[in-house]
Amino acid sequence: MASALVLNATYEPLGVVPVRRAVTLLLVGKAVPLHSSDRARIRSASLALAVPTVIRLRRYVKVPYRAAVPLTRHGVLRRDRGTCGYCGEKASTLDHVVPRSRGGRHVWENVVACCMRCNGHKGNALVEELGWRLRVPPVMPVGPHVLVARLGEVHPDWAPYVPGVAA
Ligand SMILES: [Zn+2]
């Protein structure tokens, strides 16, 4: 494994860097090791270091990737695992939680996957007016979901930090 997973100070995955870069971050004190390979070691004249597989930055870095996730029907169905945000049945449509006719915006936080039945019932009503509740508050998918697509080969040590990755 020639790369290491980098976590933010808050343990959110930021990305994958070459091991050489990860070692540099450790040596200059910008990161701390969380997991290291049992077998591989890096040796130099002054140093023997286990090869890091997961490191965590000491200081939080702000990452402006939130805006990079476009809102699509497919994306919402995937985020909600194809189940209705209200009843949990199989979803095939999208619903604006606050209806557009009542000022609801077309954003991740206001769109849920929805079954035909709930969608038909809901119409232009608010969730509270129907006495319904959302099973899970809708959010924009951040880091991990985007990251998974880019990881390629996945080290087992990474799995606990990246939702959706099987070790
Ligand atoms: Zn439903």
Side-chain angles (χ1 to χ4, degrees):
M1 176 61 53
S3 48
L5 180 69
V6 182
L7 304 180
N8 215 335
T10 47
Y11 289 87
E12 291 151 346
L14 287 175
V16 174
V17 297
V19 162
R20 190 181 293 260
R21 173 75 183 138
V23 169
T24 304
L25 289 168
L26 295 176
L27 292 180
V28 299
K30 288 194 172 171
V32 292
L34 287 184
H35 296 275
S36 301
S37 168
D38 295 333
R39 282 162 292 177
R41 288 193 167 264
I42 291 170
R43 289 181 196 284
S44 73
S46 58
L47 166 91
L49 186 71
V51 171
T53 54
V54 183
I55 65 172
R56 182 172 70 91
L57 298 180
R58 286 182 189 272
R59 300 181 73 167
Y60 178 74
V61 288
K62 227 175 168 177
V63 187
Y65 55 38
R66 286 180 65 90
V69 188
L71 173 55
T72 60
R73 178 175 180 278
H74 179 77
V76 172
L77 287 173
R78 191 168 142 170
R79 180 197 65 185
D80 296 351
R81 297 174 196 277
T83 59
C84 176
Y86 305 110
C87 74
E89 294 295 314
K90 188 168 160 39
S92 57
T93 65
L94 300 189
D95 180 63
H96 290 95
V97 179
V98 176
R100 302 213 72 177
S101 62
R102 299 175 71 164
R105 293 193 303 143
H106 188 64
V107 293
W108 283 101
E109 293 82 355
N110 191 47
V111 176
V112 292
C114 191
C115 72
M116 295 290 272
R117 198 167 56 94
C118 289
N119 210 332
H121 266 287
K122 188 158 172 293
N124 287 327
L126 297 175
V127 176
E128 307 83 75
E129 291 170 351
L130 295 165
W132 293 3
R133 55 185 284 274
L134 283 165
R135 294 186 306 120
V136 181
V139 295
M140 181 188 291
V142 290
H145 306 267
V146 180
L147 184 65
V148 168
R150 295 193 199 133
L151 283 180
E153 194 184 351
V154 173
H155 191 285
D157 287 352
W158 299 354
Y161 305 101
V162 186
V165 166

